[in-house]
Amino acid sequence: MELPADAPAVITADALRADLGCFPTREQYHDLVAAFKADGFEVCADLCAVDYLEHADRALPEGVTPTRFEVVVNLLSMSRRERVRIRVQAGDVEPEVDSLFDLYPGSEAMEREAFDLLGVIFRSHPDLTRILMPEDWEGHPLRKDYGTGRVPVQFKEAPGPR
Amino acid sequence: MSEPTVRTAERLEALTAETSEGPQELQRREATPASELGREVGSVVRIDDTPFNPDDVDYERADDETMIINMGPSHPSTHGVLRIMLELDGEIVLRAKPVIGYLHTGMEKTGEMLSYVQGATNVTRMDYLSPIINELSYSMAVEALLGIEVPERAVWIRMMMSELNRISSHLVWMATNGMDLGSTSMMIYGFRERELILAFFEKTAGLRLNLNYVRPGGVAADLPDGWEDDVEVICDTIYERTFEYDELLTGQPIFRQRMVGVAPISAEEALALGVTGPLLRSTGVPWDLRRTMPYLAYDQVDFDVIVGTYGDNFDRYAIRLNEIRESVRIIRQCLERMPAGDYRSQDPKVTPPPRARIGESMEALIHHFKLFTEGFHVPAGEVYSAVESPRGEHGCYIVSDGGPKPYRLHVRAPSFVNLQAIPLLMRGASMADAITVISTVDPIMGEVDR
Amino acid sequence: MALEDLQHNFLTGRLEDLVRWARRASVWPATFGLACCAIEMMASGAADFDLARFGMEVFRNSPRQADLMIVAGRVSQKMAPVLRQVYDQMMEPKWVLSMGVCASTGGLFNNYAIVQGVDQIVPVDVYAPGCPPSPETLMHAILTLHEQIRTGEIMKRRATGNPVHLDHAESPWTPEVPVAVRLGTPK
């Protein structure tokens, strides 16, 4: 598979298993997705974020600077029956990328979910609020430094009123 | 001899003679005017095509006449704990906003705590109407990372079980949709037929829901003895009964009034919103992952992709009803062509040693113990695998760091994305149509909130 | 007038017994389906299992007309206040049946999002095990509840006491321990 002709400079990796993977920078990200959309990728199938707190030195193609957060977008072309995966290095402390809402309105809920659970900020998103957690929740639960919140299991009778 | 006192309509005076009040207004039937006769048909108020046009609604009105009401999260026809904020102008919905998260279970976080062996128990509880599909997309993702091949029999068992699951999921949809429209009989019938399939699941996997049957490397157990007969009965019964549903619903005037032409969506809108499944196919886009990007052995079986035309409620209903028939067709082919062989991969990495070996060999015992306590290690990498669930594209994105647990487990839930179509579909619809919209979009909240 | 002079058959009984009998035979559940268990709850009400045998097929959509809340499924932190509100809206006498391990203890999902046991929010009468409990298990739990009603106090208010979240451990409220009733189990 070829990259679209008017795509901005991107780095591709052949080592990825299934599909074409692209690693744009944050500045290239929106333009790249727009180029893919013009090239026939009609659907934004999936958008999620990953927190690589424990893997700062993970294997990435040459020239890509790994950051803690990564936003992963799966685009789908129905006419060509192909998928493409775009991984953006979103930043370390306050991850921030452009919103895809103007290209794919369907990414609205997925971006809100990534913001809610991992705290990635999407610029020019129409309504970047919490979607799954209560409005007054503190923290972003899917971050690696956020505890699971396990309550120890009590196998015997509780010692007193609880 | 007097006339025999036969009470017939011809002798009206015989009918009314016994009352002290005379004939009142009772007349011969042929003398009854047509307007009176019309009342006998029933009290259904018939409004012919009303001049109402959704484009005439002033959506942006800012006066105090509109009303904002909350529907849910504990509402009988929101299919779980969906909450929708509706702005109403009388009966007409001006705007709708779904509020979700009332069933947020933290499954993606829990998935990072469980090993790959245990992971299937977690994902199967997401979309609780189609557990097999959840496990399938998860298992396929893990297998792609491991690079192992699944034996042919396991592939066909998986395919047959997912189609059975698709039928049972669509049956629940038929049942609850009937319930929402006031057809309580459909509710009873849908659940009655579903019990057939659940009984087979219980026989095969040991549970009715949340089976944990499809696991990385194959399936948990071989099909039980005599499964051919069971599946044959299921196919025959359900195929026959679909025509009963046809009779009950498809031609029924009240049902049609509430479904035909209500809440249409166009193909462009559907693609922009990323919706998949029956919702997308109702607009005429023939996109079914089983056909367009085949997985398992779907390229070897013969079936049709059902496609609608108008994208309205009725198309979505018709697609689901006909998909039941297509699934029966696929299951029949599985029944004929089920290959012999192993039901799970013999790769010792993912499969425990047979029970008999554990008693003899220390290594086998240790291996068994390690597999179920620590789990197997999966090479580092990331993968996205997608399957067609009854509701659309069910994807699973796994990032592995080489350890025995996934580093990140993300599920692309079809209902989560399809739910974004609700504000669009409800816009300008009446309040009663809002119920049918929720019903035909068919969100499963366990999967939406995860 | 002696009893023999009456023209009709009649029964005598203590008022308490009659009240208990009437209550036991017409427990109307509220539809409070949350997750997987809700599907099994619906299946129990449908043709094959038929809760109507116990006078319970009338699932009320309004909590004000319901006597029993079947908490069917996992209760998230976001849902907990809603659940408590629905419970408060129900009229006395009212009972709660915690269906499934998720509602009873949090189950598989021991994490930030799920309330670890619905008995932290409302007093629970019967816990049904299973994930999800099969309709038979649910019916056993319901029969257990019927037996509790048949032998229980009639004037007791169920909602007294102040169930709180684990954070306020000093509260005097203790979750009620269900009376162990064995029903239909061979000795």
Side-chain angles (χ1 to χ4, degrees):
Chain A
M1 179 187 154
E2 295 282 308
L3 275 174
D6 52 346
V10 289
I11 305 145
T12 64
D14 301 328
L16 288 166
R17 256 165 235 282
D19 325 302
L20 176 77
C22 300
F23 294 84
T25 61
R26 273 193 277 180
E27 289 72 38
Q28 295 163 341
Y29 166 63
H30 191 272
D31 294 342
L32 177 72
V33 178
F36 271 120
K37 192 188 178 197
D39 197 44
F41 284 82
E42 303 99 341
V43 176
C44 174
D46 187 26
L47 186 148
C48 69
V50 186
D51 177 5
Y52 284 103
L53 178 65
E54 298 152 25
H55 295 280
D57 54 344
R58 63 190 180 277
L60 284 177
E62 238 172 273
V64 182
T65 324
T67 60
R68 180 178 159 187
F69 290 98
E70 205 176 277
V71 173
V72 184
V73 183
N74 271 289
L75 300 181
L76 168 68
S77 167
M78 292 189 169
S79 42
R80 306 210 310 237
R81 302 190 180 179
E82 273 169 357
R83 287 179 192 279
V84 66
R85 188 145 66 243
I86 298 165
R87 295 168 63 184
V88 205
Q89 307 300 316
D92 284 315
V93 186
E94 282 197 346
E96 193 175 345
V97 293
D98 286 325
S99 168
L100 298 183
F101 180 75
D102 51 337
L103 299 172
Y104 299 103
S107 65
E108 192 254 348
M110 300 187 256
E111 286 178 352
R112 272 178 78 190
E113 189 199 349
F115 164 74
D116 187 1
L117 299 181
L118 283 133
V120 180
I121 292 164
F122 292 89
R123 271 190 296 263
S124 69
H125 185 283
D127 176 27
L128 200 62
T129 49
R130 288 196 179 271
I131 184 167
L132 294 179
M133 302 306 295
E135 289 288 328
D136 52 353
W137 195 265
E138 280 173 24
H140 301 283
L142 276 188
R143 287 190 175 189
K144 288 286 172 182
D145 50 6
Y146 190 98
T148 319
R150 287 179 82 91
V151 176
V153 180
Q154 205 147 24
F155 289 103
K156 289 188 176 167
E157 195 183 344
R162 53 171 184 162
Chain B
M1 192 176 160
S2 65
E3 245 179 280
T5 54
V6 184
R7 294 182 182 187
T8 59
E10 281 82 48
R11 297 191 62 243
L12 199 64
E13 56 282 3
L15 276 175
T16 54
E18 287 169 19
T19 68
S20 60
E21 293 170 13
Q24 294 191 2
E25 293 188 358
L26 191 65
Q27 307 177 26
R28 289 177 193 282
R29 194 169 168 80
E30 58 265 25
T32 317
S35 60
E36 290 275 309
L37 280 173
R39 280 203 218 148
E40 288 180 9
V41 179
S43 59
V44 179
V45 181
R46 284 169 197 283
I47 306 169
D48 49 356
D49 291 345
T50 42
F52 170 71
N53 181 1
D55 298 333
D56 296 343
V57 179
D58 178 14
Y59 295 105
E60 305 302 329
R61 57 189 292 176
D63 51 26
D64 293 341
E65 297 293 304
T66 65
M67 176 170 57
I68 293 181
I69 64 160
N70 256 313
M71 187 174 166
S74 172
H75 187 278
S77 50
T78 51
H79 290 213
V81 286
L82 174 63
R83 171 179 159 206
I84 297 186
M85 286 164 76
L86 296 164
E87 188 180 2
L88 300 174
D89 173 21
E91 275 280 295
I92 307 297
V93 180
L94 300 181
R95 281 179 295 173
K97 184 185 180 190
V99 182
I100 59 175
Y102 288 95
L103 197 55
H104 179 56
T105 317
M107 283 181 177
E108 291 181 0
K109 189 86 172 176
T110 299
E112 292 168 9
M113 307 295 143
L114 300 175
S115 71
Y116 287 99
V117 186
Q118 299 164 325
T121 12
N122 180 33
V123 292
T124 188
R125 280 157 177 81
M126 287 183 181
D127 178 356
Y128 37 79
L129 286 186
S130 51
I132 297 265
I133 313 274
N134 297 301
E135 298 158 17
L136 183 63
S137 80
Y138 169 80
S139 302
M140 279 170 52
V142 176
E143 280 152 14
L145 281 170
L146 281 169
I148 55 170
E149 282 288 314
V150 180
E152 211 185 342
R153 184 176 172 85
V155 168
W156 283 77
I157 293 178
R158 283 177 175 191
M159 195 159 76
M160 192 181 81
M161 293 298 265
S162 12
E163 289 312 309
L164 282 171
N165 207 172
R166 194 180 311 277
I167 295 179
S168 79
S169 170
H170 280 337
L171 281 174
V172 173
W173 179 81
M174 300 275 295
T176 48
N177 180 56
M179 187 79 166
D180 289 344
L181 297 182
S183 164
T184 322
S185 349
M186 192 58 233
M187 167 89 184
I188 303 285
Y189 295 153
F191 272 95
R192 181 186 65 185
E193 265 71 275
R194 182 170 170 268
E195 289 295 329
L196 284 174
I197 296 174
L198 292 198
F200 181 69
F201 281 174
E202 198 169 3
K203 202 171 174 181
T204 312
L207 258 178
R208 290 157 52 87
L209 295 173
N210 304 345
L211 304 169
N212 193 15
Y213 182 65
V214 179
R215 297 179 188 180
V219 294
D222 207 350
L223 292 170
D225 290 344
W227 63 273
E228 293 95 341
D229 300 339
D230 292 345
V231 174
E232 187 100 45
V233 169
I234 291 174
C235 286
D236 291 349
T237 319
I238 287 178
Y239 189 72
E240 223 169 81
R241 297 262 166 91
T242 52
F243 294 97
E244 286 179 21
Y245 308 153
D246 246 347
E247 233 163 80
L248 183 68
L249 296 177
T250 311
Q252 205 221 32
I254 300 175
F255 182 77
R256 288 189 79 98
Q257 291 253 331
R258 293 196 63 182
M259 299 295 263
V260 177
V262 175
I265 183 172
S266 74
E268 290 75 34
E269 290 163 342
L271 286 177
L273 288 171
V275 303
T276 43
L279 204 54
L280 176 64
R281 287 196 287 277
S282 72
T283 63
V285 180
W287 184 259
D288 186 329
L289 287 178
R290 293 178 291 170
R291 170 60 54 81
T292 49
M293 291 175 138
Y295 52 98
L296 296 181
Y298 279 113
D299 46 352
Q300 299 170 38
V301 290
D302 186 28
F303 70 100
D304 291 334
V305 176
I306 313 289
V307 175
T309 314
Y310 304 105
D312 60 351
N313 276 342
F314 190 78
D315 275 357
R316 299 194 270 274
Y317 157 78
I319 285 175
R320 290 192 175 106
L321 180 64
N322 285 300
E323 274 187 5
I324 295 181
R325 294 177 185 147
E326 291 306 315
S327 294
V328 169
R329 228 170 114 191
I330 298 176
I331 295 167
R332 288 219 168 108
Q333 293 171 54
C334 293
L335 200 59
E336 276 170 27
R337 296 168 55 185
M338 179 67 70
D342 286 326
Y343 61 90
R344 59 182 175 191
S345 160
Q346 287 308 307
D347 192 334
K349 190 168 183 182
V350 294
T351 306
R355 186 69 193 82
R357 292 262 302 135
I358 295 173
E360 297 166 358
S361 149
M362 193 63 177
E363 284 75 33
L365 183 65
I366 293 172
H367 178 65
H368 185 273
F369 182 72
K370 286 277 274 184
L371 190 61
F372 284 103
T373 50
E374 193 191 343
F376 49 80
H377 290 251
V378 169
E382 41 124 41
V383 71
Y384 178 83
S385 81
V387 300
E388 182 77 19
S389 101
R391 272 154 283 280
E393 174 180 326
H394 191 287
C396 187
Y397 179 71
I398 293 183
V399 179
S400 166
D401 60 350
K405 295 171 181 174
Y407 187 73
R408 171 88 163 93
L409 168 73
H410 172 76
V411 169
R412 189 260 190 214
S415 307
F416 180 68
V417 185
N418 289 359
L419 207 62
Q420 296 181 87
I422 281 190
L424 179 76
L425 292 174
M426 280 189 183
R427 199 175 154 99
S430 75
M431 186 63 205
D433 292 338
I435 305 285
T436 60
V437 166
I438 301 172
S439 172
T440 53
V441 168
D442 190 19
I444 298 298
M445 296 317 287
E447 171 182 75
V448 173
D449 297 340
R450 300 190 294 286
Chain C
M1 188 177 67
L3 287 177
E4 295 82 47
D5 298 338
L6 289 173
Q7 297 295 312
H8 301 286
N9 296 328
F10 58 89
L11 294 165
T12 58
R14 289 191 302 160
L15 178 65
E16 280 184 11
D17 287 345
L18 287 172
V19 169
R20 286 182 192 139
W21 168 79
R23 278 184 184 167
R24 189 199 66 160
S26 64
V27 182
W28 287 0
T31 48
F32 201 73
L34 298 168
C36 336
C37 296
I39 306 291
E40 289 295 66
M41 186 171 77
M42 282 151 78
S44 323
D48 274 35
F49 297 96
D50 195 12
L51 273 181
R53 289 178 287 167
F54 312 112
M56 293 192 54
E57 79 281 18
V58 202
F59 278 86
R60 300 318 301 188
N61 299 327
S62 159
R64 297 194 193 281
Q65 300 163 353
D67 310 305
L68 166 67
M69 183 160 81
I70 302 180
V71 185
R74 39 197 191 248
V75 181
S76 69
Q77 304 281 2
K78 198 171 177 178
M79 194 67 191
V82 183
L83 183 130
R84 179 70 206 187
Q85 190 177 357
V86 170
Y87 179 76
D88 287 341
Q89 284 173 348
M90 284 165 61
M91 297 285 158
E92 292 279 359
K94 53 190 174 185
W95 295 273
V96 178
L97 199 160
S98 159
M99 180 181 180
V101 284
C102 296
S104 304
T105 66
L108 174 64
F109 306 108
N110 194 347
N111 60 23
Y112 63 92
I114 292 295
V115 175
Q116 300 296 306
V118 75
D119 51 7
Q120 295 174 11
I121 311 165
V122 291
V124 177
D125 294 279
V126 178
Y127 300 83
C131 189
S134 66
E136 291 92 344
T137 317
L138 178 62
M139 274 190 275
H140 183 263
I142 282 171
L143 288 177
T144 309
L145 181 76
H146 283 185
E147 195 58 24
Q148 273 189 34
I149 297 172
R150 199 180 65 78
T151 55
E153 285 269 330
I154 63 164
M155 297 301 285
K156 193 171 157 197
R157 287 270 172 265
R158 315 292 307 173
T160 48
N162 186 25
V164 283
H165 200 266
L166 272 183
D167 303 343
H168 313 282
E170 66 275 10
S171 160
W173 184 81
T174 40
E176 262 179 72
V177 183
V179 188
V181 183
R182 295 169 70 85
L183 253 188
T185 319
K187 296 214 169 106

